[in-house]
Amino acid sequence: MNESTGKIKSQIDKLLKQIQPLSLSDPLKAKELAEEAIKLAHENGFQHREGAALTWHAHIIMGMAGDEDVLKAARTAVELLKDAPDKLLIARAFTVLGNGLKLQCDSFEALEYYQHAIDVYKELDDIAGVSTILNNIASTYRSIGLFDEAYSAFSEAIDVLEGSDYLISKAAAVGNLASLLVEQDDPQKAESLMEQALELHRKAGTKQGEGICLRDMGKLKASLGDKTEAERYYRQALAVLSETSSNQFMGYTLFLLSNLKEEQGQFNEAEEYLVQAVEIAKQFKSQRRIADAEFDLAALRVRMGVTEDVEPAMHEFLKYLRDSGDDLEYKIDVYTSLSQLYELKEEFSTALDYYKQKCCVEKQYEALQRENDVVRVRLRAEYKRSENEKKLLEAQQKELQEANDRLQEAAERIKKLSGLLPICAYCKSIRDDSGYWNEIEAYIASHSDTEFTHGICPECAKKHFPDYNLFSE
């Protein structure tokens, strides 16, 4: 390797090291660094470094809810890293590709790549990696309504870490199981698990995890109607998250606290929290997140009766919304707010137009939900069928293995009876592999399924019993 090549490799490695800490605090900068690393690695033929950079790029874009083709990047990364000596790189690429497929609702292929990742992590004896992927598998099951399978996978993610020092991974697994139980209307057990997760994060000293747990405890209390406790947990979450660079989680917690205050009729406080959320979104440097936060603030002000300087934020947010998925829900909210705004202005014709648009999107969203329900039912049926086929195949393979074992055993016995046998020329005893001499009957019986019965042949009858005429002519 010449000096120039070595410098380029070092430059790419430096970029890759910078990406990870920036992926949460400044994803836009992390994305730029990943793109620079991809370009350098590709131009100089460093395919494994290119694959690593592509993996990070796809991961960051997914976190930013970007429109770029993350699946293409992730598939390319998997291809480039398939023979990488560092197996951890391919495990991460498999994971990111699985995550991308899950987002695209391709659950079966996502599960396939998650399984590939688990296989690599098991080969590396990385139980934290195994637990992480089991969490992803459980979330995939959950997304298609396979709640029993999701519960089993979340539980397994916890079990594989039993007795280990991986407190952060265990806390994440326990928290995920708790969120599933909230969804399954088991708040008491969910709260107990959330408390366990909170304690684990505190032991590990992970402020971000602690803050998220406190926020989720607040959401649980809010869903149960205990607004006082909900507010207490939200405030604790904000205090903890303010010690970290986790702006995205702080913004969401402020949004939840604002909703709580609005429900209590405390509009000014609700507005203050959303103003803070906008400032945090600006620090995050994601235009979509800024537009989202500014719309939430504008919509609240309309509900407070304010009509000045609110409409631009609504139209700005509409630019980022697609005609699919959760974006349709956001569109409903935007058109609802615009209709309310023009009703306040007493421009009823325009208000009615936006109301009609809202109704149109609602129908589109309902149709999409019905379609998604059908897809989920089909996926569940396909999963059950594939599991049944898998069990049948495993039973057939077991049966075949048992038959092969019997054949192998018979072949070994036949082998022992084939070839040259050392036999005594006089008494006909046979010498075995240990050097002992055995009667021929005993040797053959011990090396085959043959059993002996004794009689006498005509020649021996004449020789030894001439007077008895045992065999007539």
Side-chain angles (χ1 to χ4, degrees), residues 158-171:
I158 297 169
D159 292 342
V160 297
L161 297 171
E162 194 63 41
S164 75
D165 295 327
Y166 293 109
L167 298 179
I168 299 172
S169 297
K170 190 170 184 179

Side-chain angles (χ1 to χ4, degrees), residues 23-48:
S23 60
L24 279 176
S25 61
D26 191 349
L28 214 58
K29 179 64 176 175
K31 177 175 174 284
E32 290 172 6
L33 294 179
E35 287 168 352
E36 186 180 347
I38 292 166
K39 184 173 183 292
L40 271 174
H42 183 75
E43 287 175 350
N44 291 277
F46 302 138
Q47 70 172 56
H48 296 153

Side-chain angles (χ1 to χ4, degrees), residues 48 69 71 145 148 254 270 286 293 349 378 462:
H48 296 153
D69 192 350
L71 285 185
D148 290 342
L254 286 164
S286 166
S349 177
R378 179 178 60 78
K462 286 179 184 179

Side-chain angles (χ1 to χ4, degrees), residues 135 142 150-155 158 171-183 189-190 193:
N135 275 307
R142 181 178 176 180
Y151 186 92
S152 296
F154 278 137
S155 300
I158 297 169
V174 172
N176 285 331
L177 183 55
S179 68
L180 176 67
L181 290 170
V182 170
E183 194 173 320
K189 192 171 180 182
L193 286 169

Side-chain angles (χ1 to χ4, degrees), residues 256-422:
L256 293 171
L257 194 49
S258 173
N259 283 351
L260 190 67
K261 287 298 178 182
E262 185 181 354
E263 288 173 9
Q264 294 172 330
Q266 299 173 29
F267 290 97
N268 289 334
E269 278 193 65
E271 184 180 19
E272 286 175 15
Y273 288 127
L274 288 183
V275 168
Q276 291 179 52
V278 169
E279 292 307 309
I280 285 173
K282 287 177 180 177
Q283 293 172 28
F284 200 71
K285 299 178 182 178
S286 166
Q287 294 304 312
R288 163 75 187 246
R289 290 183 189 277
I290 294 169
D292 190 347
E294 289 182 338
F295 163 72
D296 289 333
L297 178 58
L300 172 65
R301 284 173 172 167
V302 168
R303 293 194 293 275
M304 293 169 66
V306 176
T307 60
E308 298 298 322
D309 300 322
V310 291
E311 189 172 0
M314 298 181 185
H315 289 292
E316 179 66 20
F317 189 40
L318 272 177
K319 293 178 185 177
Y320 294 95
L321 301 181
R322 296 166 292 186
D323 290 325
S324 61
D326 293 338
D327 280 1
L328 289 176
E329 282 191 272
Y330 292 129
K331 278 192 170 186
I332 293 168
D333 292 341
V334 174
Y335 287 132
T336 299
S337 295
L338 284 166
S339 179
Q340 290 171 346
L341 171 64
Y342 279 95
E343 192 173 347
L344 286 171
K345 290 180 174 183
E346 297 186 355
E347 296 181 29
F348 298 110
S349 177
T350 305
L352 182 59
D353 287 341
Y354 280 121
Y355 179 78
K356 287 177 179 177
Q357 288 185 64
K358 182 204 82 161
C359 292
C360 182
V361 176
E362 279 179 335
K363 288 180 181 177
Q364 190 179 351
Y365 181 69
E366 287 167 6
L368 181 63
Q369 289 298 99
R370 286 194 296 272
E371 183 182 326
N372 287 342
D373 287 342
V374 170
V375 169
R376 277 192 285 271
V377 170
R378 179 178 60 78
L379 287 172
R380 284 199 295 270
E382 286 180 6
Y383 173 80
K384 293 292 186 184
R385 185 173 65 250
S386 68
E387 282 297 292
N388 290 335
E389 289 173 353
K390 183 179 175 183
K391 287 176 183 177
L392 179 61
L393 180 60
E394 286 173 353
Q396 289 172 341
Q397 288 174 336
K398 183 181 178 183
E399 203 175 301
L400 182 60
Q401 185 60 50
E402 289 172 353
N404 285 339
D405 291 343
R406 290 194 296 272
L407 285 171
Q408 184 65 29
E409 186 181 345
E412 288 296 324
R413 286 174 172 248
I414 291 168
K415 185 178 179 181
K416 288 178 180 178
L417 289 173
S418 64
L420 296 172
L421 287 176

Side-chain angles (χ1 to χ4, degrees), residues 171-222:
V174 172
N176 285 331
L177 183 55
S179 68
L180 176 67
L181 290 170
V182 170
E183 194 173 320
Q184 293 297 291
D185 295 323
D186 193 347
Q188 191 171 7
K189 192 171 180 182
E191 185 174 1
S192 174
L193 286 169
M194 284 182 185
E195 287 170 353
Q196 288 180 43
L198 184 60
E199 184 62 27
L200 286 165
H201 278 300
R202 283 172 172 164
K203 280 183 181 178
T206 49
K207 292 294 184 181
Q208 180 177 301
E210 182 185 347
I212 292 170
C213 275
L214 288 165
R215 180 202 70 194
D216 289 345
M217 288 286 281
K219 285 174 68 178
L220 176 61
K221 292 296 184 182

